[in-house]
Amino acid sequence: MYLVGFYSPKAKSGVTELSVSIYHWLKSNTTLSVAFISYGSLERENTSNELIHEFSKLSVTEQKRKVKQMKKAHDITIYDASSQLSEGVLKLLPIVDRLFVVGEEHNEFAYKLQQIIQFDKIFDKNVKSFIAHLRGNKTFILQENKDNHVIGFNYTKQETNDIGQMIYTDYVTHYLNEKLIDNNEKIFRKIKKIPREDLFNGLYELGIDFEKAMLYERYVKLRELMGQAYEDALEDLFPHFMHTPFPQILDKLQAELVMISKLNF
Protein backbone atom coordinates (compact mmCIF):
# COMPACT_ATOMS: atom_id res chain seq x y z
CA MET A 1 0.00 0.00 0.00
CA TYR A 2 2.55 2.59 1.16
CA LEU A 3 6.31 2.44 0.50
CA VAL A 4 8.77 4.52 2.55
CA GLY A 5 12.42 4.79 1.53
CA PHE A 6 15.47 5.68 3.64
CA TYR A 7 18.75 6.74 2.04
CA SER A 8 21.94 8.66 2.77
CA PRO A 9 24.87 9.61 0.50
CA LYS A 10 27.16 9.23 3.50
CA ALA A 11 28.71 5.82 4.26
CA LYS A 12 28.03 4.33 7.71
CA SER A 13 25.42 6.99 8.42
CA GLY A 14 23.13 4.70 10.39
CA VAL A 15 20.39 4.51 7.74
CA THR A 16 19.81 0.78 8.24
CA GLU A 17 19.75 1.13 12.03
CA LEU A 18 17.27 4.02 11.77
CA SER A 19 14.97 2.32 9.25
CA VAL A 20 14.95 -0.95 11.23
CA SER A 21 14.02 0.98 14.38
CA ILE A 22 11.14 2.63 12.50
CA TYR A 23 9.99 -0.80 11.32
CA HIS A 24 9.90 -2.12 14.90
CA TRP A 25 8.21 1.07 16.17
CA LEU A 26 5.40 0.72 13.62
CA LYS A 27 5.01 -2.97 14.48
CA SER A 28 4.79 -2.18 18.20
CA ASN A 29 2.71 1.00 18.17
CA THR A 30 0.17 0.48 15.37
CA THR A 31 -2.15 -2.28 14.21
CA LEU A 32 -0.87 -1.96 10.64
CA SER A 33 0.77 -4.74 8.67
CA VAL A 34 4.41 -3.66 8.21
CA ALA A 35 7.18 -5.15 6.04
CA PHE A 36 10.87 -4.36 5.54
CA ILE A 37 13.20 -4.53 2.54
CA SER A 38 16.95 -3.96 2.85
CA TYR A 39 19.05 -3.41 -0.26
CA GLY A 40 22.07 -4.68 1.64
CA SER A 41 22.67 -7.37 4.24
CA LEU A 42 21.12 -7.49 7.73
CA GLU A 43 23.19 -9.20 10.41
CA ARG A 44 21.11 -8.66 13.56
CA GLU A 45 17.60 -9.33 12.25
CA ASN A 46 15.82 -12.60 11.63
CA THR A 47 14.63 -12.57 8.03
CA SER A 48 11.14 -13.73 7.08
CA ASN A 49 8.51 -13.25 4.39
CA GLU A 50 7.90 -9.75 5.71
CA LEU A 51 11.52 -8.86 6.48
CA ILE A 52 13.91 -9.49 3.60
CA HIS A 53 17.49 -8.40 2.91
CA GLU A 54 20.12 -8.58 0.17
CA PHE A 55 17.59 -7.14 -2.25
CA SER A 56 20.47 -6.12 -4.53
CA LYS A 57 21.09 -9.80 -5.34
CA LEU A 58 17.67 -10.17 -6.98
CA SER A 59 17.16 -9.57 -10.68
CA VAL A 60 15.12 -6.55 -11.77
CA THR A 61 12.20 -8.86 -12.60
CA GLU A 62 12.39 -10.46 -9.14
CA GLN A 63 12.60 -7.03 -7.48
CA LYS A 64 9.47 -5.89 -9.34
CA ARG A 65 7.60 -9.01 -8.35
CA LYS A 66 8.66 -8.79 -4.71
CA VAL A 67 7.88 -5.07 -4.31
CA LYS A 68 4.47 -5.47 -5.92
CA GLN A 69 3.77 -8.50 -3.72
CA MET A 70 4.76 -6.69 -0.52
CA LYS A 71 2.87 -3.49 -1.36
CA LYS A 72 -0.23 -5.57 -1.96
CA ALA A 73 0.16 -7.66 1.19
CA HIS A 74 1.17 -4.94 3.70
CA ASP A 75 -0.06 -1.51 4.77
CA ILE A 76 3.46 -0.04 5.02
CA THR A 77 6.73 -1.31 3.55
CA ILE A 78 10.03 0.20 4.69
CA TYR A 79 12.74 0.24 1.99
CA ASP A 80 16.29 0.60 3.32
CA ALA A 81 18.44 1.79 0.40
CA SER A 82 21.34 2.53 2.81
CA SER A 83 24.19 4.32 1.04
CA GLN A 84 24.04 2.35 -2.19
CA LEU A 85 23.79 4.79 -5.11
CA SER A 86 23.61 2.25 -7.92
CA GLU A 87 21.46 2.11 -11.05
CA GLY A 88 19.30 -0.44 -9.26
CA VAL A 89 18.61 1.93 -6.37
CA LEU A 90 17.93 4.85 -8.70
CA LYS A 91 15.37 2.73 -10.54
CA LEU A 92 13.63 1.85 -7.27
CA LEU A 93 13.57 5.26 -5.59
CA PRO A 94 10.95 6.80 -7.95
CA ILE A 95 8.37 4.25 -6.80
CA VAL A 96 8.51 5.18 -3.10
CA ASP A 97 5.67 7.25 -1.70
CA ARG A 98 8.02 9.09 0.63
CA LEU A 99 11.81 9.23 0.73
CA PHE A 100 13.90 10.29 3.71
CA VAL A 101 17.42 11.44 2.89
CA VAL A 102 19.08 11.09 6.28
CA GLY A 103 21.44 13.89 7.29
CA GLU A 104 20.70 17.59 7.67
CA GLU A 105 23.83 18.50 5.71
CA HIS A 106 22.62 16.74 2.54
CA ASN A 107 20.15 19.42 1.44
CA GLU A 108 21.66 19.98 -2.01
CA PHE A 109 22.13 16.26 -2.63
CA ALA A 110 18.48 15.59 -1.74
CA TYR A 111 17.34 18.32 -4.13
CA LYS A 112 19.43 16.89 -7.00
CA LEU A 113 18.20 13.38 -6.24
CA GLN A 114 14.63 14.65 -6.32
CA GLN A 115 15.26 16.14 -9.77
CA ILE A 116 16.58 12.81 -11.06
CA ILE A 117 13.61 10.95 -9.60
CA GLN A 118 11.11 13.32 -11.22
CA PHE A 119 12.99 13.15 -14.54
CA ASP A 120 12.97 9.35 -14.48
CA LYS A 121 9.24 9.30 -13.72
CA ILE A 122 8.62 11.26 -16.91
CA PHE A 123 11.21 9.97 -19.39
CA ASP A 124 12.67 6.64 -18.27
CA LYS A 125 10.57 3.88 -19.85
CA ASN A 126 11.70 1.27 -17.33
CA VAL A 127 10.74 3.48 -14.38
CA LYS A 128 7.41 4.43 -15.95
CA SER A 129 6.57 0.79 -16.64
CA PHE A 130 7.62 -0.12 -13.08
CA ILE A 131 5.30 2.55 -11.63
CA ALA A 132 2.48 1.39 -13.90
CA HIS A 133 3.23 -2.21 -12.87
CA LEU A 134 2.84 -1.31 -9.19
CA ARG A 135 -0.03 1.16 -9.42
CA GLY A 136 -2.23 -0.71 -11.85
CA ASN A 137 -1.73 1.75 -14.72
CA LYS A 138 -2.91 4.79 -12.79
CA THR A 139 -1.87 7.57 -15.12
CA PHE A 140 -2.69 10.78 -13.29
CA ILE A 141 -1.69 12.10 -9.88
CA LEU A 142 -4.27 14.17 -8.07
CA GLN A 143 -1.96 15.46 -5.36
CA GLU A 144 1.81 15.37 -5.08
CA ASN A 145 3.38 17.58 -2.45
CA LYS A 146 7.08 17.44 -3.30
CA ASP A 147 8.27 18.87 0.01
CA ASN A 148 6.27 16.68 2.34
CA HIS A 149 5.23 13.51 0.55
CA VAL A 150 7.67 12.63 -2.20
CA ILE A 151 10.99 13.49 -0.62
CA GLY A 152 11.47 14.43 3.02
CA PHE A 153 14.94 15.75 3.63
CA ASN A 154 16.64 17.87 6.32
CA TYR A 155 16.18 15.01 8.77
CA THR A 156 18.89 14.15 11.25
CA LYS A 157 18.67 10.97 13.29
CA GLN A 158 15.54 12.06 15.15
CA GLU A 159 13.76 10.20 17.84
CA THR A 160 12.26 7.05 16.36
CA ASN A 161 8.90 8.04 17.80
CA ASP A 162 8.84 11.35 15.87
CA ILE A 163 9.58 9.75 12.52
CA GLY A 164 7.25 6.82 13.23
CA GLN A 165 4.40 9.23 13.98
CA MET A 166 5.22 11.18 10.82
CA ILE A 167 5.12 8.03 8.66
CA TYR A 168 1.86 6.89 10.25
CA THR A 169 0.25 10.27 9.56
CA ASP A 170 1.56 10.12 5.98
CA TYR A 171 0.11 6.64 5.58
CA VAL A 172 -3.36 7.79 6.66
CA THR A 173 -3.23 10.68 4.17
CA HIS A 174 -1.93 8.35 1.45
CA TYR A 175 -4.72 5.87 2.17
CA LEU A 176 -7.34 8.57 1.69
CA ASN A 177 -5.62 9.77 -1.49
CA GLU A 178 -5.68 6.22 -2.88
CA LYS A 179 -9.41 6.01 -2.16
CA LEU A 180 -9.89 9.37 -3.88
CA ILE A 181 -7.90 8.17 -6.90
CA ASP A 182 -9.94 4.96 -7.08
CA ASN A 183 -13.18 6.96 -7.04
CA ASN A 184 -11.91 9.30 -9.72
CA GLU A 185 -10.82 6.41 -11.91
CA LYS A 186 -14.32 4.97 -11.75
CA ILE A 187 -15.71 8.30 -12.95
CA PHE A 188 -13.07 8.60 -15.68
CA ARG A 189 -13.88 5.12 -17.00
CA LYS A 190 -17.51 6.25 -17.35
CA ILE A 191 -16.41 9.43 -19.13
CA LYS A 192 -14.40 7.43 -21.67
CA LYS A 193 -17.55 5.46 -22.53
CA ILE A 194 -19.53 8.62 -23.39
CA PRO A 195 -20.01 8.95 -27.17
CA ARG A 196 -17.64 11.57 -28.50
CA GLU A 197 -20.40 13.60 -30.11
CA ASP A 198 -22.44 13.66 -26.89
CA LEU A 199 -19.69 14.51 -24.39
CA PHE A 200 -21.41 17.54 -22.84
CA ASN A 201 -24.69 15.72 -22.12
CA GLY A 202 -22.86 12.67 -20.83
CA LEU A 203 -20.76 14.75 -18.42
CA TYR A 204 -23.82 16.62 -17.18
CA GLU A 205 -25.74 13.36 -16.61
CA LEU A 206 -22.81 12.06 -14.54
CA GLY A 207 -23.33 14.99 -12.17
CA ILE A 208 -20.68 17.43 -13.39
CA ASP A 209 -21.79 21.06 -13.12
CA PHE A 210 -23.33 22.57 -16.26
CA GLU A 211 -20.58 25.18 -16.66
CA LYS A 212 -17.76 22.68 -16.10
CA ALA A 213 -19.32 20.15 -18.48
CA MET A 214 -19.64 22.77 -21.20
CA LEU A 215 -16.08 24.04 -20.70
CA TYR A 216 -14.66 20.50 -20.56
CA GLU A 217 -16.20 19.72 -23.95
CA ARG A 218 -14.93 22.99 -25.50
CA TYR A 219 -11.48 22.53 -23.99
CA VAL A 220 -11.21 18.98 -25.38
CA LYS A 221 -12.19 20.25 -28.85
CA LEU A 222 -9.53 22.97 -28.60
CA ARG A 223 -6.88 20.41 -27.75
CA GLU A 224 -8.00 18.28 -30.69
CA LEU A 225 -7.66 21.27 -33.02
CA MET A 226 -4.12 21.68 -31.74
CA GLY A 227 -3.36 18.09 -32.69
CA GLN A 228 -3.82 16.22 -29.41
CA ALA A 229 -5.62 12.86 -29.54
CA TYR A 230 -9.17 12.88 -28.13
CA GLU A 231 -8.55 10.34 -25.35
CA ASP A 232 -5.28 12.03 -24.36
CA ALA A 233 -7.08 15.37 -24.07
CA LEU A 234 -9.82 13.77 -21.94
CA GLU A 235 -7.24 12.30 -19.59
CA ASP A 236 -4.99 15.38 -19.35
CA LEU A 237 -7.89 17.69 -18.54
CA PHE A 238 -9.80 15.36 -16.23
CA PRO A 239 -7.92 16.18 -12.96
CA HIS A 240 -8.37 19.93 -13.54
CA PHE A 241 -12.12 19.65 -14.03
CA MET A 242 -12.61 17.33 -11.07
CA HIS A 243 -10.61 19.28 -8.50
CA THR A 244 -10.25 22.89 -9.65
CA PRO A 245 -12.81 25.68 -9.12
CA PHE A 246 -14.53 26.84 -12.31
CA PRO A 247 -12.95 30.37 -12.34
CA GLN A 248 -9.43 28.86 -12.25
CA ILE A 249 -10.26 26.46 -15.09
CA LEU A 250 -11.60 29.38 -17.11
CA ASP A 251 -8.41 31.38 -16.45
CA LYS A 252 -6.30 28.41 -17.60
CA LEU A 253 -8.30 28.10 -20.82
CA GLN A 254 -8.05 31.82 -21.53
CA ALA A 255 -4.28 31.76 -20.91
CA GLU A 256 -3.93 28.84 -23.32
CA LEU A 257 -5.97 30.69 -25.96
CA VAL A 258 -3.73 33.76 -25.58
CA MET A 259 -0.64 31.60 -25.95
CA ILE A 260 -2.05 29.95 -29.09
CA SER A 261 -2.90 33.32 -30.62
CA LYS A 262 0.76 34.36 -30.31
CA LEU A 263 2.11 31.31 -32.10
CA ASN A 264 3.22 31.64 -35.70
CA PHE A 265 2.11 28.67 -37.79
Side-chain angles (χ1 to χ4, degrees), residues 113-253:
L113 182 59
Q114 181 193 45
Q115 288 182 313
I116 292 173
I117 288 172
Q118 295 303 320
F119 183 88
D120 285 350
K121 280 185 176 182
I122 297 171
F123 295 107
D124 190 306
K125 291 182 179 179
N126 290 326
V127 170
K128 290 177 74 173
S129 66
F130 199 171
I131 293 172
H133 177 73
L134 290 173
R135 293 181 60 80
N137 294 315
K138 291 182 174 69
T139 52
F140 49 84
I141 299 173
L142 300 177
Q143 178 179 343
E144 186 176 69
N145 185 323
K146 293 181 180 179
D147 290 331
N148 296 326
H149 290 278
V150 175
I151 186 164
F153 48 85
N154 282 333
Y155 288 97
T156 55
K157 191 176 178 182
Q158 298 182 43
E159 290 294 327
T160 300
N161 181 71
D162 293 342
I163 300 178
Q165 291 285 6
M166 188 184 305
I167 290 173
Y168 180 74
T169 302
D170 254 11
Y171 163 78
V172 173
T173 304
H174 177 77
Y175 177 83
L176 294 177
N177 278 338
E178 288 293 303
K179 291 299 180 184
L180 182 62
I181 288 173
D182 288 341
N183 290 337
N184 276 268
E185 287 193 320
K186 290 176 184 176
I187 295 296
F188 187 61
R189 284 195 293 269
K190 292 179 180 179
I191 289 175
K192 289 198 293 185
K193 292 179 181 178
I194 298 172
R196 191 169 178 165
E197 65 279 2
D198 200 32
L199 182 59
F200 165 72
N201 289 325
L203 292 170
Y204 187 60
E205 288 173 4
L206 281 177
I208 296 175
D209 292 343
F210 179 89
E211 295 86 354
K212 278 192 174 184
M214 178 181 65
L215 196 58
Y216 197 169
E217 181 193 43
R218 299 293 174 85
Y219 213 152
V220 168
K221 287 182 177 178
L222 173 65
R223 289 291 183 89
E224 282 190 282
L225 287 172
M226 293 298 295
Q228 188 173 23
Y230 174 76
E231 288 196 358
D232 289 343
L234 275 183
E235 186 170 321
D236 286 350
L237 296 171
F238 174 76
H240 297 293
F241 281 84
M242 292 301 100
H243 302 282
T244 306
F246 179 78
Q248 291 182 28
I249 300 172
L250 189 58
D251 288 343
K252 179 177 172 60
L253 174 59

Side-chain angles (χ1 to χ4, degrees), residues 38-55:
S38 179
Y39 200 75
S41 178
L42 294 176
E43 298 178 356
R44 300 178 184 177
E45 299 292 325
N46 294 320
T47 58
S48 64
N49 289 333
E50 69 174 35
L51 195 154
I52 62 174
H53 71 157
E54 298 182 340
F55 205 59

